Amino acid sequence: MLTPVEVRAFFDRFADAARGLERNLQQIIQIATSMRTDYLRSRSRFLTSDVQVFQRLDEVSSALANQLQAVHDVATASPRLQTAELTIPLVQLKHPDDLTSLTLRWRSVDTGARIQELLSNFTAPVFTGATLTVRRRSNFLAHELGYGSFKPEQVLVTRSPFKFRDQAHILLATDAPEAPATLTPEYVRYLADSIAQLADNEHQTLVLFTSLNTIKAVYNELCTRHLSVNKEILAQGVTGTAAKIARRFAVSTNAVLLGAASFFEGVDYPSKQLESVIVTRLPFANPNDPVVEARGKAITEKGLDPFKVDALPRATLQLRQAFGRLIRREDDRGVFIVLDPRFTKTQFGRGMQKALPHVDTDIMPTAEIPAAIEQWLAPLSEHVAKNKKGTKHA
């Protein structure tokens, strides 16, 4: 996190270099655009295989263009980056083998003031959503939006149209190990073994991770298992981008999708498209992330606990969103499986449980969960028959 003095020093040091980089980027993009135009005008002069070359050129040109604004802001010492808000510069290379994945971004640690500036253009803004509260409290949302708090008469919590107790079931593994601070072969094998057991059925499964590195390691391990013969395994950052594998999963009938942050929210797979969600680890943000560190430092300086007032509410909301992937329609049914022992053994984990819809929860060894999945996801007619069979008449 940079102080105003450090921000000015940053611009003094890098502005000249940014101006040169901006000119070079503009020239490269202009040349790429010219080459693409020539290709489209005279396709007959090119080989069929040249299509891939120009497609790749488009990808590179687009990636560079996406960085122009950020570079321009540094080159011109943009006033919006020199406000008193808590901001940090981030330079990130998402994929080591792909230089076009290099990004330059400025992230606000506290966005409340900027949001309030935007909201000042509206008379009475209304915020609606399924996951705006943490255990029916709106304090966290109020802070994120720049409000001190909401008055009781300003908050309306309505009942869900879903009958969660009849539609969803939570299953918790008693033998799940604590995730190590650094990824280990033993933990990867545990996850692969568990997924191979829990997803080896006729139900489409979404497996949620908090790390792309873990996804890659688990995917490689799953490829050696029998599951890879029975199921199509889609892995974010390995078999395709998030958007690509999301589309593929939507048209599949027998797939397992290994996804990270973007799959905790915003994806819609109703009915048979998704019947099982596995959470490998409670979705706490990486404490070493620069934004998380800066936000935690700012909260600590106010005499507050970053875990209680920030990390826990964020993780709780994300877990609720993950649960929301499962039930999208009134006739959906599914199982929600958690492989993190903190969910049952810690006070904050039990608090996160209470934030989820009230559904039946069973705790059992991982090896017993597959049978529980099949029992819950059996056709409703079978459930009715079993209930009638088990009913005692006087």
Side-chain angles (χ1 to χ4, degrees):
M1 183 170 58
L2 303 183
T3 65
V5 173
E6 290 172 329
V7 169
R8 288 193 293 272
F10 175 87
F11 285 119
D12 290 341
R13 182 175 179 180
F14 295 107
D16 287 342
R19 283 191 285 270
L21 178 58
E22 183 180 21
R23 287 193 297 270
N24 291 336
L25 287 177
Q26 290 172 338
Q27 290 176 3
I28 293 172
I29 294 170
Q30 185 177 1
I31 292 172
T33 301
S34 178
M35 292 175 64
R36 186 176 186 277
T37 300
D38 289 343
Y39 167 71
L40 293 175
R41 288 176 178 173
S42 310
R43 289 188 182 185
S44 60
R45 291 166 34 208
F46 294 89
L47 299 174
T48 303
S49 58
D50 289 337
V51 173
Q52 295 181 349
V53 175
F54 282 96
Q55 286 178 341
R56 179 56 180 160
L57 180 63
D58 282 347
E59 292 175 1
V60 172
S61 177
S62 177
L64 294 177
N66 288 338
Q67 300 308 310
L68 264 180
Q69 184 60 53
V71 174
H72 177 75
D73 286 342
V74 176
T76 59
S78 174
R80 71 186 185 87
L81 298 182
Q82 300 190 60
T83 64
E85 296 175 25
L86 300 174
T87 59
I88 59 174
L90 293 177
V91 179
Q92 183 179 30
L93 183 64
K94 293 183 179 180
H95 305 291
D97 299 328
D98 184 4
L99 291 179
T100 62
S101 68
L102 182 68
T103 59
L104 170 62
R105 295 178 295 159
W106 287 73
R107 292 281 299 277
S108 295
V109 177
D110 187 349
T111 59
R114 186 166 297 177
I115 291 176
Q116 283 296 306
E117 183 180 341
L118 294 173
L119 293 177
S120 66
N121 298 309
F122 300 89
T123 302
V126 177
F127 307 98
T128 62
T131 53
L132 298 184
T133 60
V134 179
R135 297 186 67 176
R136 301 182 70 84
R137 297 175 183 172
S138 59
N139 311 50
F140 183 72
L141 174 67
H143 175 268
E144 289 294 287
L145 295 175
Y147 296 99
S149 62
F150 291 129
K151 297 177 181 179
E153 60 269 23
Q154 291 179 300
V155 179
L156 174 64
V157 179
T158 61
R159 293 179 63 86
S160 171
F162 303 131
K163 297 179 180 178
F164 286 113
R165 191 177 292 275
D166 296 330
Q167 294 182 257
H169 196 64
I170 296 177
L171 299 169
L172 310 178
T174 56
D175 53 350
E178 185 91 28
T182 303
L183 194 62
T184 63
E186 293 76 18
Y187 184 63
V188 170
R189 282 195 293 272
Y190 164 75
L191 290 179
D193 288 341
S194 299
I195 295 168
Q197 293 181 67
L198 303 177
D200 191 11
N201 47 48
E202 297 181 357
H203 315 293
Q204 293 227 129
T205 301
L206 172 63
V207 188
L208 296 172
F209 295 78
T210 59
S211 164
L212 290 175
N213 288 335
T214 306
I215 288 179
K216 183 177 181 180
V218 171
Y219 171 80
N220 290 335
E221 188 73 23
L222 282 174
C223 286
T224 67
R225 310 300 173 90
H226 189 65
L227 182 70
S228 62
V229 177
N230 296 339
K231 292 269 192 175
E232 179 181 16
I233 303 178
L234 305 169
Q236 183 178 350
V238 182
T239 62
T241 63
K244 179 180 178 180
I245 65 173
R247 290 193 297 269
R248 177 61 188 167
F249 190 75
V251 299
S252 297
T253 57
N254 194 32
V256 177
L257 192 156
L258 314 182
S262 58
F263 286 95
F264 277 83
E265 57 188 65
V267 291
D268 188 4
Y269 300 119
S271 188
K272 297 291 185 180
Q273 287 183 357
L274 178 61
E275 293 183 294
S276 177
V277 172
I278 301 174
V279 176
T280 59
R281 191 174 185 179
L282 296 179
F284 287 96
N286 183 349
N288 297 320
D289 181 278
V291 175
V292 176
E293 284 187 344
R295 196 162 53 223
K297 181 180 178 181
I299 293 172
T300 301
E301 290 175 350
K302 296 178 181 178
L304 301 174
D305 183 344
F307 180 78
K308 290 183 178 180
V309 304
D310 186 71
L312 182 56
R314 289 181 190 277
T316 301
L317 286 176
Q318 194 158 25
L319 186 69
R320 290 186 62 196
Q321 289 171 333
F323 185 91
R325 300 313 98 211
L326 192 62
I327 306 300
R328 310 299 295 171
R329 305 287 188 275
E330 293 184 9
D331 58 348
D332 286 351
R333 302 185 80 249
V335 291
F336 190 75
I337 304 166
V338 180
L339 303 180
D340 190 329
R342 295 176 298 175
F343 200 51
T344 57
K345 296 180 179 179
T346 64
Q347 183 177 355
F348 68 80
R350 291 189 290 272
M352 295 174 77
Q353 281 190 56
K354 293 178 181 178
L356 296 178
H358 297 300
V359 302
D360 291 336
T361 301
D362 285 329
I363 305 176
M364 62 187 69
T366 305
E368 296 179 13
I369 294 180
I373 294 174
E374 294 307 317
Q375 181 179 0
W376 177 256
L377 293 178
L380 286 176
S381 57
E382 294 184 21
H383 282 283
V384 173
K386 289 180 180 179
N387 290 337
K388 287 183 177 179
K389 185 177 180 180
T391 301
K392 295 181 179 180
H393 298 280

